[in-house]
Amino acid sequence: MEKFVIQDRNKRRCTSETPAGSLRKKIKQERDEKMKEEDSEDDEDAAFAEFSNPVPWQKIEAEGLDCDYALLFSKEEADRLFTQLEEEVVYATGEESKVQVYGKVYNIPRKQATYGDAGLTYTYSGVRRLACPWTPTLEYIRDTVTKTTGQTFNFVLINRYKDGQDHMGEHRDDEKELDPRCPIASVSLGATRDFVFKHRDSRGKQSRRQIEPVKLELAHGSLLLMNPPTNTFWYHSLPMRKKILLPRINLTFRRILLDSKRESKTKPDVN
């Protein structure tokens, strides 16, 4: 509607009292402006189309916990992605498959791999890991998550659980490398597993407060978005479930800060 109003107003400016040279110049200027407006609208339409993968979100909230959960992939597509990841992903072996907890070294009770942009590293549990180059399937999943959430990610940590015996202990994803403004996007493929959040003040025998844990079931093809400040206040775990006989692959997409941004984040504000 606004376009037509502008066009009508412009037409009224073109009177016989306007010199021919000025009229031609004015018409050209108005035509150029109109083309710029149309190009801008095309860009907006393209941006909207890129962010056009709506899913029905379920909000999960508690004190200091903010998560969004949705089924991102259909069963057929999730099956296909699981099979492709089984062919593409190379998991760590040897020393890279161990973690350090309170000064002791343990074997990881699952398989792990790290992929991402060139040169990125990630340090957790005393282990420093270099990102392998993205595979086609990982790029596809990453881009789908970006279109759905509007967030960009440059790194993914992959955990493969062969069955319910494989598990993950309580921890927080609060490493200094991570951008604190960016959520962690967790994609689950394979067997449905329990996922438990526990508030930091309610852990251990000397817990200071009574806060109920939050338990979720992460289904095949699902996406869990852990928004800030969740990882500041809540630990999460994937407990052992002996009755689970099928494998599961979990991909946690993250945004790792580049060195310059990391330094500016840690430097004190002197202004």
Side-chain angles (χ1 to χ4, degrees):
M1 185 66 184
E2 290 180 357
K3 283 185 180 178
F4 292 111
V5 172
I6 292 171
Q7 287 174 357
D8 288 342
R9 186 171 67 244
N10 290 340
K11 284 181 181 178
R12 284 197 294 270
R13 290 174 183 166
C14 301
T15 65
S16 58
E17 298 175 359
T18 307
S22 300
L23 178 59
R24 285 195 296 271
K25 184 176 181 181
K26 185 175 291 187
I27 291 173
K28 182 178 184 302
Q29 182 180 358
E30 290 172 354
R31 185 172 64 244
D32 292 344
E33 289 176 355
K34 182 180 176 183
M35 291 176 64
K36 287 181 181 179
E37 288 178 3
E38 291 175 350
D39 290 342
S40 177
E41 288 172 359
D42 290 341
D43 291 342
E44 290 178 3
D45 291 341
F48 181 78
E50 292 230 356
F51 191 63
S52 58
N53 190 17
V55 295
W57 289 103
Q58 176 186 351
K59 175 61 76 173
I60 301 159
E61 293 179 299
E63 180 187 330
L65 185 145
D66 180 0
C67 294
D68 296 288
Y69 177 81
L71 286 176
L72 183 62
F73 300 108
S74 67
K75 182 184 183 305
E76 292 75 15
E77 188 168 21
D79 288 345
R80 176 179 61 81
L81 294 172
F82 185 95
T83 300
Q84 290 174 190
L85 290 176
E86 291 284 72
E87 296 173 355
E88 293 178 6
V89 175
V90 178
Y91 293 96
T93 58
E95 291 301 314
E96 287 191 339
S97 63
K98 302 177 185 294
V99 294
Q100 185 174 323
V101 181
Y102 298 117
K104 294 184 178 180
V105 178
Y106 299 90
N107 290 321
I108 300 173
R110 57 195 176 277
K111 288 184 176 181
Q112 282 193 329
T114 49
Y115 286 78
D117 292 355
L120 285 181
T121 59
Y122 184 48
T123 303
Y124 60 96
S125 299
V127 178
R128 184 172 179 269
R129 298 290 300 275
L130 178 67
C132 298
W134 295 101
T135 72
T137 303
L138 289 175
E139 284 185 330
Y140 173 78
I141 299 173
R142 178 202 63 197
D143 293 346
T144 302
V145 172
T146 292
K147 290 177 182 179
T148 303
T149 65
Q151 296 285 346
T152 57
F153 304 92
N154 57 12
F155 185 87
V156 63
L157 174 64
I158 306 173
N159 285 291
R160 186 188 188 279
Y161 305 83
K162 70 179 185 301
D163 54 30
Q165 299 278 1
D166 281 3
H167 59 281
M168 177 179 60
E170 291 181 357
H171 70 286
R172 292 181 294 175
D173 295 326
D174 59 352
E175 287 77 15
K176 292 181 179 179
E177 290 98 328
L178 298 177
D179 187 339
R181 300 162 300 178
C182 181
I184 292 177
S186 174
V187 175
S188 296
L189 299 168
T192 297
R193 292 287 295 266
D194 291 338
F195 191 74
V196 181
F197 285 102
K198 189 174 287 188
H199 195 281
R200 66 183 184 184
D201 292 345
S202 65
R203 298 175 68 243
K205 296 179 180 179
Q206 315 221 336
S207 59
R208 294 180 288 169
R209 304 166 63 195
Q210 292 293 323
I211 302 176
E212 287 296 316
V214 177
K215 185 174 79 170
L216 311 175
E217 286 189 345
L218 302 183
H220 184 40
S222 67
L223 168 62
L224 176 68
L225 207 60
M226 291 183 278
N227 304 304
T230 300
N231 272 292
T232 300
F233 298 103
W234 292 79
Y235 286 72
H236 55 269
S237 65
L238 193 89
M240 187 181 296
R241 294 290 185 260
K242 295 182 179 180
K243 292 183 179 180
I244 301 294
L245 304 178
L246 297 175
R248 170 182 182 261
I249 297 176
N250 177 246
L251 307 96
T252 48
F253 291 90
R254 305 147 190 258
R255 186 188 302 155
I256 291 182
L257 294 168
L258 302 179
D259 289 339
S260 58
K261 292 182 179 180
R262 198 179 310 166
E263 288 172 4
S264 64
K265 174 190 168 188
T266 56
K267 283 181 180 178
D269 188 357
V270 295
N271 293 330

